[in-house]
Amino acid sequence: MPATDALPAGQAESFDAITSLIERSERIAVCAHTSPDGDALGSQLALIELIERTWPEKDVRGLLADDDVVPRIYQFLPGSERLVRARDYAEDPDLFVCVDLSQPDRLNEAAAVLGRSARVAVLDHHPSAAPFWDAGVVRPSAAAAGVIVAEYALHLAGALTETMAQCLLCALVTDTGRFQYQNANGEAFRVASALVDAGASPSEVSLHVYQSDRVSYLHLSATVMGRITTFEQGRIAYSYATMADLEANAVPVAECDGLVDIVRRVDGCEIALFLKEVPGGKVRGNLRAKSDRDISVVAREMGGGGHPAAAGFTVEGDIDQALAVVLPKLRALYAEGEGGR
């Protein structure tokens, strides 16, 4: 794992600027993006612990951007029970820290808290638009936000606690797809090694996140698997789940993130799309790429965003309406034929 002098250019200075903001603040809110995944929650919880251990006199609150609970598979993470809904947080923080997001429109109900905050800091690995923060590190080359938080912890405190390491290993494992995605670079493995050395348990992460599916979820997975359809000579694969499917199997929306990987497993598939209906007459889409095609372009056109190989979006309407819009955009990525790869 990089020492302070081995951090990417300018990152140490940006870390110091974040530290300065924290030192000047008494009330601090830390929040990840809407529909938080393992990276969002693991990074958020580790950062909260880091701040509290370094500055025990400060009032630090961890917020959930949605009117929802922590997804079941992530409730094993130390400190997850302390997270509160942003709508229930009435204070005006001195500092609002965004973790695993650098676009305020992904804050959902927490956007109101951001608006009441005196200052803003960001720790993220997604491509960002215009900066809205006073200090931050936004580095898309990092495999996960957890990588940046781990580096900040070592820069600030020189060490990681066992509970921080556990949260950050979950962040890294989930955002690299168990080190199977294209973002599983050398830095990711070095950080993972440092986290395990600090006491993180890969087997515990695997047990809770990947080996504790309820039977109802497996039944839903079978439904999704049975609907897989391919286009462009098998290079695009998609499937979906309706609200009726989720209700029939008693599976909450928050537990559906892994279903896109079922579609991603199709042999010969280069782009995987999974659509699910969510409350409010909307459809949430997850995109994954197994080639060098940049699917984030399509996600942005759909009002979302993400990485070249992993992105998402949310649109108004039903499954058929969403598919009618997104499928032509995905097919357009192949408009130049094989020479366009």
Side-chain angles (χ1 to χ4, degrees):
M1 188 165 183
T4 297
D5 58 359
L7 291 172
Q11 188 164 303
E13 292 79 6
S14 295
F15 281 160
D16 291 339
I18 293 172
T19 299
S20 177
L21 289 182
I22 296 173
E23 290 175 337
R24 294 161 50 198
S25 304
E26 294 302 322
R27 293 184 303 277
I28 301 171
V30 181
C31 191
H33 56 72
T34 181
S35 301
D37 53 15
D39 187 25
L41 290 166
S43 300
Q44 177 186 19
L45 292 170
L47 182 62
I48 291 170
E49 181 181 343
L50 175 65
I51 296 173
E52 290 183 329
R53 283 181 174 273
T54 308
W55 297 278
E57 74 282 3
K58 297 188 184 297
D59 178 11
V60 185
R61 305 290 181 89
L63 306 183
L64 292 168
D66 306 315
D67 184 18
D68 207 345
V69 299
V70 174
R72 181 184 60 86
I73 60 174
Y74 300 124
Q75 290 176 4
F76 78 99
L77 292 173
S80 62
E81 73 284 351
R82 294 180 51 200
L83 298 178
V84 299
R85 296 178 179 89
R87 65 183 301 178
D88 297 327
Y89 179 78
E91 299 181 42
D92 298 342
D94 302 310
L95 176 64
F96 188 99
V97 185
C98 298
V99 182
D100 198 32
L101 82 154
S102 50
Q103 297 187 45
D105 58 1
R106 299 197 67 206
L107 280 170
N108 197 7
E109 294 184 351
V113 183
L114 174 71
R116 302 198 303 267
S117 180
R119 294 174 290 274
V120 179
V122 169
L123 292 165
D124 188 29
H125 70 129
H126 294 91
S128 63
F132 61 94
W133 51 88
D134 299 285
V137 172
V138 178
R139 181 160 65 86
S141 63
V147 167
I148 298 172
V149 174
E151 292 173 349
Y152 180 51
L154 289 181
H155 177 78
L156 178 66
L160 293 158
T161 67
E162 183 175 321
T163 48
M164 287 166 55
Q166 184 74 338
C167 289
L168 292 171
L169 184 64
C170 178
L172 186 52
V173 167
T174 53
D175 243 35
T176 59
R178 289 174 276 185
F179 300 96
Q180 298 176 93
Y181 296 162
Q182 295 95 316
N183 62 343
N185 53 23
E187 179 185 52
F189 282 96
R190 289 191 295 273
V191 171
S193 177
L195 296 174
V196 173
D197 287 345
S201 170
S203 62
E204 184 178 5
V205 172
S206 179
L207 174 65
H208 287 280
V209 179
Y210 299 110
Q211 298 173 18
S212 297
D213 292 332
R214 294 182 293 127
V215 172
S216 58
Y217 177 86
L218 295 175
H219 289 167
L220 177 62
S221 300
T223 298
V224 170
M225 191 176 300
R227 289 175 176 158
I228 293 176
T229 304
T230 62
F231 297 90
E232 294 295 326
Q233 296 77 50
R235 294 178 295 188
I236 300 173
Y238 90 92
S239 189
Y240 64 92
T242 65
M243 284 298 299
D245 297 325
L246 302 184
E247 292 168 358
N249 290 283
V251 176
V253 172
E255 292 185 19
C256 294
D257 285 347
L259 293 174
V260 67
D261 287 323
I262 293 176
V263 186
R264 192 177 186 272
R265 295 207 299 262
V266 174
D267 184 30
C269 160
E270 297 180 2
I271 297 174
L273 167 67
F274 175 68
L275 299 170
K276 60 178 177 286
E277 292 181 344
V278 297
K282 298 180 180 180
V283 172
R284 187 168 296 151
N286 298 113
L287 286 163
R288 297 291 184 270
K290 294 161 66 176
S291 68
D292 59 359
R293 308 238 177 221
D294 186 354
I295 54 173
S296 68
V297 174
V298 173
R300 286 194 296 272
E301 290 177 356
M302 299 290 292
H307 302 282
F313 59 88
T314 301
V315 294
E316 303 278 347
D318 57 23
I319 296 292
D320 289 337
Q321 291 170 322
L323 187 63
V325 177
V326 70
L327 185 57
K329 295 181 183 298
L330 294 177
R331 283 177 151 168
L333 295 178
Y334 293 92
E336 298 179 12
E338 294 297 324
R341 292 195 178 196

